[in-house]
Amino acid sequence: QVHLVESGGGLVQVGGSLRLSCAASGRTGSSYGMGWFRQAPGKEREIVAAISWTGDNAYYADSVKGRFTISRDNAKNTVYLQMANLKLEDTAVYYCAFSWEGILAPGPDYWGQGTQVTVSS
């Protein structure tokens, strides 16, 4: 019912910046939450950031707080993740998520395909 397409991943050096985009299509309706997760090899998938429909409520993992910014454009059904001052530990596959009830709870209803972000020294 909902399809998520991510873009913007790539290779950057420590301290660099990158912006990820995720466009939702299909029968999205309205008043849905969106967010970003990431997963490094051998590790569990973890929440990075989430944002409410209005943009008034945002959540950030402690590891990215102050460095990453989540935003959305509802006219385009798109969520963004602006990543700054990137660190080696930010290297992971980043997944876009969509939820009709809540990204944090009860959890995502749809997932993107994932986009690789690699931070090198």
Side-chain angles (χ1 to χ4, degrees):
Q1 188 174 1
V2 177
H3 187 228
L4 306 176
V5 179
E6 299 151 338
S7 62
L11 176 65
V12 296
Q13 292 187 327
V14 170
S17 299
L18 208 60
R19 188 175 79 157
L20 306 182
S21 299
C22 174
S25 62
R27 291 171 285 192
T28 60
S30 62
S31 193
Y32 55 85
M34 296 189 77
W36 293 91
F37 290 71
R38 68 185 182 186
Q39 187 169 24
K43 297 183 179 179
E44 295 185 354
R45 189 172 299 188
E46 63 177 355
I47 181 73
V48 176
I51 188 169
S52 64
W53 167 258
T54 63
D56 293 334
N57 248 273
Y59 168 86
Y60 296 94
D62 288 341
S63 59
V64 307
K65 198 170 297 182
R67 299 187 298 119
F68 291 10
T69 302
I70 188 169
S71 62
R72 65 189 297 164
D73 183 343
N74 290 340
K76 297 180 178 180
N77 288 325
T78 299
V79 66
Y80 305 93
L81 185 67
Q82 180 66 51
M83 305 183 293
N85 191 25
L86 285 161
K87 304 176 180 180
L88 291 175
E89 52 263 42
D90 294 319
T91 295
V93 176
Y94 284 70
Y95 296 90
C96 178
F98 174 107
S99 177
W100 278 306
E101 296 186 52
I103 294 293
L104 301 179
D109 295 298
Y110 297 94
W111 295 91
Q113 79 285 354
T115 185
Q116 178 71 47
V117 172
T118 302
V119 184
S120 67
S121 60

